[in-house]
Amino acid sequence: MILRLAFGSLMARALTVGMTILAIALSVALFLGVEKVRTGARASFADTISGTDLIVGARSGSVQLLLYSVFRIGNATNNVTWESYQDIARRPEVDWIVPISLGDSHRQFRVMGTTQGFFEHYKFRGGQALEIAEGHGLTDLYDAVIGAEVAATLGYHVGDPIVVAHGLASFTEHDEQPFRVAGIIARTGTPVDRTVIVSLEAIEAIHVDWHSGAQRPGAGTPIEQIRQMDLTPKAVTAALVGVNSKLRIFGLQRWINEYPQEPLLAILPGVALQELWQIVGIAETALTGVSAMVVVTALLGMMAMIFSSLNERRREMAIWRAMGARPLTILGLLVLEAALMAALGAGLGLALLYGGLVLAQPMVDAAFGLWLPIDPPTARELIVLASVIAAAAVASLFPALRAYRLSLADGMMVKV
Amino acid sequence: MKPIHLALAVTALASPALAQEAREMDAHEHGVSVAEIAVEHGKVAINITAPGMDIVGFEYEAASTEDKDAVEAAIRALLTPEAIVALPEAAGCRLTEVLAHLHGGDHDDTADAHMDDDHDDHDDAAHEDHDDHADAAQHTEFHVSYAFACEDEDALTQIGFPFFDQFANAQEIDAQYVTETGAGLAEITRAAPTLTLE
Amino acid sequence: MTLSARALSLENVRFRWSGRAAFGLSVPEFRVSRGESVLLLGESGSGKSTLLSLICGIVTADEGRVSVGGTDLSSLRTGARDRFRAEHIGVIFQQFNLLPYASVSDNIQLPLRFAPARRKRAAPDEAARLCAALGLPEGITDVTAGHLSVGQQQRVAVARALIGQPPLIVADEPTSALDAATQDSFLALLSERIAATGASLLMVSHDERLGARFDRVVRLSDIAQTDGMTA
Ligand SMILES: Nc1ncnc2c1ncn2[C@@H]1O[C@H](COP(=O)(O)OP(=O)(O)O)[C@@H](O)[C@H]1O
Ligand SMILES: [Mg+2]
Ligand SMILES: [Zn+2]
C-alpha cells in the first residue's frame, strides 16, 4: 500500500515530477551514451587491425607509429631503408611482410603504396579480409584501388583517372603520370575506406623525376621509359609483419629494436593500442566526469524539487503522523519517492539511449566510420543505473531529514 | 604441474658490456618487473626481468658469502617455476625449458636447465643475448624464461603469479602478452597477482 | 470509577511550544469517561488543537500525566506512542483530512497500516460498510479522495476514524468547513456512529450551537490556563 501511495503522490504532481524524471532520464542517457561511444570507439579502433603481429617503422613512439601506419593520423618522421626491410623479411620468424609507403595524397585522401600482400594479409574486425567490391586489384603499374569512402565522396567508378598530388595538401601534382581506378574495396569501417592504394613501384615511378623533395626541372621521363626502369624503392614508411609462431614475436621484436644498422621500432599493435588508450584515457575520464556531473545536476534538481514541495506537503505529513506514522516512516516515504523517480528516470533514460542508438547508428557509421553496437545492457550499465537510484535515495535524505524535523515540530494540526 | 627434475648449474660468465637492453625504453624501476608472455597452440613462453632490488634486496655485485648465497637462493627459486608462475591445473602444463640468470655488475650468473625433449624447438634467438649481454648500469637484473607445453590449451585462461609471495619487495609486473587472438598490456600487482588471457 | 475506566485523563499537565512567541498551556485536571461524548469550546487560537496534539501523543507534556484508556503516554517511547495512537485513537481534522491522491478505501485503511491489532478487528469489507452507513454513495471506495466534495471528505474522515473501532475519537472542528445544513446532518451521523461503536468522543469547536448533541460541554477556559497567546 505504501508503494501505491508513494506512486499516487508522484502522479498527483505529474508535471514537476515528470520534469524531474525527464532530467534524470536525459542525464542517464547522456552518461550511458558517452560510455557507448567510448567503448564503441575502442572496439572500432581495435577492429581496425588484426592478424598483424608486428608493425615496423623508424624509431619513434610506439603510439605514433601505430597512428601513422594504421590510422593515417600524423606522419612518419623517418623511413625504413629497403636494406633493413629486406633484412627483416629474411628473418626466419617472419611468415609474411608487407611494406607501406605513405606521403602523397589525392584530394583529402591519403595515397598508400604497398604490395599485393596487403590485400592478402591486412585483416580487420576479427580476421576479415579486404574484398574488392568492383573491378580488380593492382595489376598495372598505374592501377589504383580505392576505398569505399573515396569512391562515394568523389563519385569515382572503375576506369576513372586519378592524379596523385605530391605530399599532403600541396599544389604539385604528379599529373604527368595519371592513375586509373582499377577497383573499389567494399566498405570496411577502417581507414582503408579513406585510402587510395597503389603499388609500391608506382610510388617510386611518380618520384623518378624528384630529388630530395623537389621536382627536377625540364621534361619528365617518358612513361614508356619509366615502365622499363627498376622501380625497387629505396625506403618504405613502415611494414606489417606476420610471424610464423606467436611464441617468437617478442624475440623478433627484440631483434628489430636492437638492429644495429638503423634505429627501428617494432610494436605489437594490440599493446600500442592499449598505450594509446592510456593516453586517451585522460580525455575519456574527463568526458565521463562531465557526463557524470550532468547526472549529479539532475539529482540535485530532484533534491531541490523535493525541498520546495515540502511546504505544500506539510498537511499531508500531518495526516500521516495523525494516522500513526512515525517520523521515520515519513523520511522513508520521501526516500522511496525519490528512488521511484530515479528508477523511472533510469528506465526512461535506457529507453532514450536505445532509441537514440537506433537513430544515430547509421549516421555515426557514415560520418565517423564508427559502428555502435546495439546490445542488451551490460552489467556495468546496470550498475550505473543502480548507482543513480542509490544516489537519488541518498540525495533525498536531505529534504527527507527536513521533513522528519518538520513533522516533529508541527504537531498534528498544521495551520493551513 | 608435474614434479620435474632440474639440473641446476650456476656458472659465472664474464662478459663485456656490449648489447643494449631490449626494453631500454622501460626505465629500471624498483618494485616493477617486466614480463613478456606468449601463448600459442598450448605452448606458453614467459620471460620475466626483475630488478635485483626486488629479488635479493640489493643491486651491487654480490661480494659477501651472505649476498652470494642470496643470489644463489634466488636463482634456485626462479628455476622452480611453480614458485613463480601458476598455470591453470586443468591445462595440464609441463615445463619444457627454464633459464634463469643475473646480469649487471661484473658477472653474469647463469643457470640453465633444459628439458631433454623439445630442445630443437627452442628458439636460438632468445639465447643469443646471453653470450654478449651485460649491463653497464649499476643496476642488476634477474632474467628468467620458462617454456611450457600444455595438454588443454582452452584451459589456459589465466596465469597466476606466486612470484609476489616469493619475493617480498616485488610490487608489480608490467606484462605484455600475445595470444592467438591478440596482444595487450597488463599490470599485474601484488594485490591482483593474476593475468587473464582473453 | 477506576482509572482504567476512563477513556482520557489529564492531570497537572503543562506544555509549551518551543519558539519565540511560545504559547503555553496548563491543564490541572480534565477527564472523559468511557462512551462519553464531550464538546470542548474555545476561541480560535486558545490552544484547542494544542491540547488535542497532547492527547494524541504527537507532542508530549513537559509536566504531568496524559493517559488514554489507562495508559500514561509519557511512559511510552516515541515509536510506541505513534503505534499507540494508531491503535487507540481515531482522528478527524477540520478539513483536508485525506491524502488527495489516494483512493477513498486507501485513505480509510491508512491507520490500519500502523496498527496491527486494529487491523485484525477490521473486517475486510469494513471500509465499504462504513461508507454505506455514513450515507456515501456505493462504489465511492475506488474514487480518488481529491475528487470528493468537502462534505463527502469529512464523512470519509469519520469512516477512517471509526475503522477497527478505536476506543477514543478525537475531532478538531470537523464541521467548520461545512455549511449549516450539512453541519447538522454530519453531526447527527457522527454521534450515531460513535454511539454504535461505544467509543468516547472528544470534539473541539468554537461554535457554541453544537452543544445539544453531546453528553457534556466544557469550556477550555474552565479547564486550562494559557499564556503567550499571539492569535
Ligand atoms: N507547531 C507549533 N509550533 C509552535 N507554536 C504553535 C504550533 N501550533 C500552534 N502553536 C501556537 O499555539 C497557540 C494555540 O494554537 P492552537 O492550539 O492551534 O489553537 P486553536 O486550535 O485553539 O485555534 C497559537 O498561538 C499558535 O501560535
Ligand atoms: Mg485549531
Ligand atoms: Zn609525391
Side-chain angles (χ1 to χ4, degrees):
Chain A
M1 180 158 93
I2 296 274
L3 191 69
R4 187 164 71 238
L5 291 179
F7 204 77
S9 157
L10 291 179
M11 291 299 287
R13 291 169 287 138
L15 190 67
T16 49
V17 168
M19 298 302 282
T20 305
I21 289 175
L22 192 65
I24 295 174
L26 285 173
S27 72
V28 164
L30 176 71
F31 186 83
L32 294 182
V34 165
E35 280 294 294
K36 275 259 185 271
V37 171
R38 198 172 70 87
T39 49
R42 283 193 174 214
S44 175
F45 260 66
D47 276 350
T48 295
I49 187 156
S50 74
T52 295
D53 292 314
L54 289 173
I55 300 172
V56 182
R59 190 165 297 167
S60 58
S62 55
V63 171
Q64 192 192 348
L65 172 55
L66 178 78
L67 287 180
Y68 71 69
S69 64
V70 176
F71 297 100
R72 324 261 188 276
I73 298 171
N75 290 299
T77 40
N78 265 306
N79 284 334
V80 177
T81 61
W82 189 248
E83 289 71 33
S84 301
Y85 172 85
Q86 290 286 320
D87 273 355
I88 296 166
R90 276 192 292 268
R91 289 294 304 174
E93 300 95 330
V94 173
D95 182 30
W96 54 263
I97 181 163
V98 171
I100 281 175
S101 191
L102 296 161
D104 282 356
S105 61
H106 176 71
R107 307 284 187 92
Q108 67 268 48
F109 301 106
R110 302 251 180 147
V111 172
M112 179 178 86
T114 185
T115 61
Q116 194 53 42
F118 185 80
F119 295 91
E120 285 158 28
H121 298 296
Y122 176 83
K123 299 278 158 58
F124 64 99
R125 212 164 279 180
Q128 226 167 302
L130 295 179
E131 206 182 297
I132 306 274
E134 268 178 69
H136 55 79
L138 302 172
T139 47
D140 186 71
L141 181 63
Y142 294 108
D143 273 353
V145 170
I146 60 176
E149 203 177 315
V150 180
T153 311
L154 304 177
Y156 284 176
H157 298 283
V158 172
D160 286 352
I162 278 195
V163 169
V164 173
H166 185 71
L168 307 172
S170 91
F171 300 105
T172 350
E173 296 201 313
H174 297 289
D175 48 4
E176 65 294 347
Q177 293 180 57
F179 286 78
R180 189 186 63 91
V181 176
I184 298 169
I185 302 170
R187 192 170 275 277
T188 60
T190 73
V192 170
D193 293 348
R194 295 182 290 275
T195 305
V196 173
I197 300 176
V198 300
S199 68
L200 205 58
E201 290 79 18
I203 296 286
E204 200 56 29
I206 55 180
H207 296 107
V208 161
D209 294 321
W210 289 67
H211 269 289
S212 51
Q215 196 165 7
R216 206 183 295 156
T221 316
I223 287 181
E224 286 65 39
Q225 199 180 322
I226 290 174
R227 283 185 184 276
Q228 305 309 313
M229 290 167 66
D230 172 23
L231 294 171
T232 306
K234 282 154 208 73
V236 295
T237 310
L240 310 182
V241 178
V243 297
N244 43 33
S245 163
K246 304 278 181 203
L247 300 177
R248 306 170 92 169
I249 288 180
F250 291 114
L252 178 61
Q253 182 190 26
R254 184 169 309 126
W255 184 86
I256 294 169
N257 287 340
E258 290 173 2
Y259 185 71
Q261 283 85 345
E262 189 178 351
L264 297 177
L265 175 68
I267 58 165
L268 284 82
V271 171
L273 204 53
Q274 249 172 297
E275 281 172 20
L276 174 64
W277 293 138
Q278 285 169 2
I279 300 165
V280 176
I282 300 163
E284 283 182 338
T285 309
L287 203 60
T288 306
V290 168
S291 53
M293 283 314 293
V294 176
V295 175
V296 169
T297 309
L299 291 179
L300 281 176
M302 181 200 70
M303 196 161 115
M305 188 279 263
I306 299 176
F307 260 121
S308 69
S309 74
L310 281 187
N311 232 2
E312 68 199 44
R313 297 183 72 191
R314 273 166 94 165
R315 180 79 225 168
E316 189 187 326
M317 300 304 162
I319 294 169
W320 281 94
R321 288 282 286 140
M323 293 308 116
R326 300 177 191 197
L328 212 59
T329 310
I330 288 174
L331 184 130
L333 195 70
L334 286 171
V335 172
L336 178 68
E337 283 187 16
L340 267 176
M341 280 191 273
L344 289 172
L348 183 62
L350 207 59
L352 284 174
L353 173 73
Y354 281 102
L357 274 180
V358 169
L359 288 178
Q361 196 181 45
M363 289 187 267
V364 172
D365 186 36
F368 308 107
L370 184 62
W371 183 253
L372 300 174
I374 300 180
D375 296 327
T378 61
R380 196 186 138 80
E381 286 166 338
L382 293 179
I383 289 170
V384 168
L385 296 182
S387 321
V388 168
I389 297 171
V394 171
S396 72
L397 273 178
F398 297 95
L401 276 169
R402 185 170 153 73
Y404 177 98
R405 264 186 264 111
L406 277 179
S407 73
L408 276 179
D410 271 351
M412 79 173 171
M413 320 298 174
V414 175
K415 294 241 150 54
V416 227
Chain B
M1 217 175 283
K2 290 167 193 147
I4 45 154
H5 174 75
L6 274 179
L8 170 67
V10 180
T11 30
L13 287 174
S15 69
L18 274 177
Q20 55 188 340
E21 250 310 289
R23 288 166 301 275
E24 61 183 358
M25 288 165 289
D26 300 315
H28 174 101
E29 190 186 334
H30 293 169
V32 182
S33 303
V34 174
E36 293 166 344
I37 297 157
V39 180
E40 187 182 50
H41 304 314
K43 291 229 169 82
V44 182
I46 301 173
N47 290 312
I48 300 173
T49 304
M53 205 52 132
D54 291 22
I55 303 296
V56 288
F58 59 85
E59 295 199 343
Y60 48 80
E61 191 190 334
S64 68
T65 39
E66 225 171 281
D67 290 349
K68 281 180 175 157
D69 287 352
V71 169
E72 195 180 315
I75 298 270
R76 203 183 292 272
L78 291 171
L79 286 172
T80 316
E82 55 269 39
I84 309 298
V85 292
L87 299 170
E89 202 76 45
C93 297
R94 192 167 47 86
L95 184 73
T96 55
E97 191 177 315
V98 58
L99 190 143
H101 63 271
L102 166 71
H103 83 118
D106 282 346
H107 296 286
D108 277 7
D109 292 335
T110 299
D112 202 339
H114 291 278
M115 300 303 97
D116 37 18
D117 54 2
D118 278 301
H119 194 217
D120 300 335
D121 210 33
H122 181 63
D123 186 356
D124 284 332
H127 274 313
E128 272 171 20
D129 51 357
H130 296 144
D131 314 322
D132 58 3
H133 93 237
D135 220 66
Q138 320 290 328
H139 301 297
T140 56
E141 280 181 335
F142 284 83
H143 286 194
V144 60
S145 52
Y146 307 107
F148 298 93
C150 306
E151 275 151 27
D152 183 2
E153 54 184 295
D154 295 334
L156 278 173
T157 50
Q158 57 175 44
I159 301 177
F161 287 85
F163 175 81
F164 291 107
D165 303 330
Q166 195 65 230
F167 303 112
N169 293 336
Q171 296 304 327
E172 186 183 315
I173 300 175
D174 285 344
Q176 291 186 46
Y177 61 89
V178 50
T179 66
E180 275 138 274
T181 49
L185 269 179
E187 204 166 89
I188 303 159
T189 61
R190 178 168 284 280
T194 310
L195 171 70
T196 305
L197 302 166
E198 282 111 34
Chain C
M1 210 183 272
T2 63
L3 196 71
S4 63
R6 279 189 201 108
L8 170 70
S9 97
L10 280 77
E11 285 164 37
N12 302 320
V13 170
R14 279 176 182 281
F15 174 76
R16 183 171 296 280
W17 285 111
S18 53
R20 278 170 289 129
F23 171 87
L25 177 81
S26 70
V27 183
E29 186 173 22
F30 177 59
R31 286 178 183 158
V32 176
S33 306
R34 286 238 161 121
E36 192 185 16
S37 64
V38 176
L39 178 67
L40 187 64
L41 287 174
E43 298 298 301
S44 181
S46 60
K48 304 184 295 295
S49 296
T50 303
L51 183 66
L52 292 190
S53 286
L54 272 166
I55 291 167
C56 289
I58 284 180
V59 294
T60 44
D62 303 327
E63 272 175 45
R65 277 167 64 95
V66 177
S67 353
V68 174
T71 305
D72 181 1
L73 292 185
S74 62
S75 71
L76 301 174
R77 316 223 281 136
T78 37
R81 212 161 40 233
D82 291 329
R83 165 102 184 263
F84 183 87
R85 173 169 66 255
E87 292 282 10
H88 298 273
I89 307 176
V91 182
I92 308 165
F93 298 117
Q94 186 173 357
Q95 57 171 327
F96 307 115
N97 260 293
L98 308 179
L99 301 176
Y101 48 80
S103 72
V104 164
S105 91
D106 276 351
N107 264 294
I108 294 176
Q109 286 170 7
L110 189 57
L112 303 185
R113 174 72 185 64
F114 305 103
R118 196 171 156 189
R119 180 162 61 226
K120 271 195 216 101
R121 279 200 300 276
D125 62 340
E126 195 172 338
R129 276 218 320 267
L130 282 165
C131 285
L134 287 160
L136 288 162
E138 209 175 315
I140 199 169
T141 47
D142 297 331
V143 176
T144 304
H147 294 160
L148 303 182
S149 73
V150 180
Q152 284 176 326
Q153 289 196 18
Q154 289 306 84
R155 276 186 271 174
V156 171
V158 172
R160 185 183 60 188
L162 292 173
I163 195 166
Q165 295 148 21
L168 176 65
I169 307 292
V170 161
D172 190 357
E173 309 197 51
T175 58
S176 64
L178 306 175
D179 56 62
T182 339
Q183 258 185 20
D184 202 53
S185 63
F186 175 82
L187 266 186
L189 259 176
L190 181 64
S191 330
E192 179 199 319
R193 291 329 306 166
I194 288 176
T197 60
S200 316
L201 169 66
L202 175 63
M203 182 169 137
V204 301
S205 178
H206 60 269
D207 191 345
E208 315 232 350
R209 293 167 304 163
L210 303 175
R213 292 192 182 274
F214 292 83
D215 298 341
R216 188 152 63 102
V217 178
V218 182
R219 288 185 179 278
L220 186 65
S221 53
D222 294 340
I223 60 157
Q225 287 95 55
T226 58
D227 65 87
M229 247 166 37
T230 52

